[in-house]
């Protein structure tokens, strides 16, 4: 009888142990062994074509090979107010998690269960960048791969590097990629000249860029 219960206990324990081992490998060991560096993450980024005169004055700008306007800006040139507004809207615990926010996932699951439909997501900034960089599909397996890629990004890049790449790669409507292109499109000025109201508006556009 003792052996019978012991065997049943081991059979129940095996699936749990397998899940734990898979989790440790996919989300802890694999990202450490294969981190995603900034150079790799920028491989499929193409800036807009810009033509300057001999004095450095911009004469003309054309869309990139994807038909998008994309102008890279350094994180240090972006107003902290905009960055705080962005994180408040998209990922308030960005500097506290490691690419996957388990607290946000549990909150989203609860909200979706109560609404009996998908009302809330739990994608962190790192996860959103992972989808942009790798093009993961919007299904269950795509989400799973997206989470692994987010962990790889966190292993290969600093938080500031991830945030800089995100603000330059995010789609912001009307064929604009990144905050510099979007600021010029919507407000006719460079992103470092935006008012706080304009910054808040631009941060909000990220949730619904199809305008």
């Amino acid at each position: 009888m003792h052996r019978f219960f012991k065997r049943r206990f081991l059979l129940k324990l095996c699936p749990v142990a397998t899940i734990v081992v898979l989790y440790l490998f996919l989300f802890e060991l694999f990202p450490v062994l294969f981190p995603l560096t900034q150079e790799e993450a920028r491989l499929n980024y193409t800036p807009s074509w810009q033509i300057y005169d001999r004095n450095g004055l911009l004469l003309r700008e054309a869309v990139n090979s994807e038909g998008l306007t994309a102008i890279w800006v350094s994180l240090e040139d972006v107003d902290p107010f905009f960055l705080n507004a962005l994180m408040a809207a998209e990922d308030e615990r960005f500097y506290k998690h490691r690419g996957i926010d388990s607290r946000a996932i549990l909150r989203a699951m609860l909200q979706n269960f109560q609404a009996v439909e998908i009302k809330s997501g739990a994608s962190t900034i790192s996860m959103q960048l992972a989808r942009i960089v790798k093009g993961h599909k919007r299904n269950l397996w795509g989400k799973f791969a997206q989470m692994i890629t987010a962990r790889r990004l966190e292993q290969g890049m600093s938080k500031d590097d991830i945030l800089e790449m995100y603000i330059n790669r995010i789609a912001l409507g009307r064929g604009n990629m990144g905050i510099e292109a979007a600021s010029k499109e919507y407000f006719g000025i460079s992103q470092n000249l935006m008012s706080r109201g304009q910054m808040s508006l631009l941060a909000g556009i990220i949730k619904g860029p199809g305008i």
Side-chain angles (χ1 to χ4, degrees):
M1 183 65 71
H2 176 70
R3 290 182 177 179
F4 174 74
F5 285 111
K6 185 176 181 180
R7 182 175 296 177
R8 290 193 63 182
F9 174 76
L10 290 174
L11 288 174
K12 290 181 179 180
L13 186 62
C14 284
V16 176
T18 301
I19 292 173
V20 171
V21 170
L22 282 174
Y23 172 83
L24 291 175
F25 174 75
L26 293 174
F27 294 100
E28 299 298 334
L29 182 60
F30 184 76
V32 172
L33 294 175
F34 301 98
L36 192 57
T37 65
Q38 189 174 19
E39 290 73 21
E40 293 176 278
R42 284 191 66 167
L43 286 178
N44 62 346
Y45 173 83
T46 307
S48 302
W49 295 97
Q50 295 178 319
I51 302 175
Y52 296 86
D53 67 10
R54 60 183 179 182
N55 298 314
L57 180 66
L58 180 64
L59 297 176
R60 184 182 178 188
E61 184 171 359
V63 296
N64 63 17
S65 57
E66 299 175 84
L68 301 172
T69 303
I71 309 167
W72 195 276
V73 293
S74 298
L75 190 67
E76 60 187 18
D77 294 328
V78 180
D79 194 308
F81 180 87
F82 173 79
L83 298 176
N84 290 331
L86 174 64
M87 287 184 284
E90 294 294 308
D91 187 358
E92 60 185 1
R93 298 184 67 247
F94 174 68
Y95 281 102
K96 297 179 180 178
H97 60 66
R98 298 187 303 154
I100 303 169
D101 191 349
S102 55
R103 186 184 302 180
I105 291 174
L106 290 173
R107 183 177 64 245
M109 289 175 62
L110 179 61
Q111 292 174 347
N112 295 335
F113 176 76
Q114 291 174 336
V116 200
E117 61 178 320
I118 297 185
K119 287 285 187 180
S120 175
S123 291
T124 63
I125 284 175
S126 300
M127 288 175 62
Q128 292 180 54
L129 180 60
R131 175 174 285 151
I132 293 170
V133 171
K134 291 297 184 179
H136 297 304
K137 295 182 178 180
R138 295 180 180 273
N139 55 31
L140 182 60
W141 292 113
K143 177 68 71 172
F144 188 70
Q146 183 185 2
M147 293 167 71
I148 296 173
T149 303
R151 287 287 296 119
R152 292 179 62 205
L153 283 169
E154 294 271 343
Q155 287 294 327
M157 300 166 60
S158 70
K159 285 286 190 179
D160 285 350
D161 287 339
I162 290 172
L163 189 57
E164 178 176 306
M165 186 163 291
Y166 178 76
I167 64 174
N168 283 290
R169 299 291 304 269
I170 190 69
L172 284 165
R174 297 184 184 177
N176 294 292
M177 179 192 293
I179 63 171
E180 177 68 10
S183 179
K184 288 184 175 180
E185 170 70 25
Y186 296 121
F187 312 124
I189 55 176
S190 180
Q191 59 82 27
N192 59 349
L193 299 176
M194 290 190 295
S195 67
R196 290 195 169 186
Q198 291 169 329
M199 292 179 197
S200 298
L201 178 60
L202 191 59
I205 288 174
I206 292 176
K207 284 190 174 295
I211 62 176

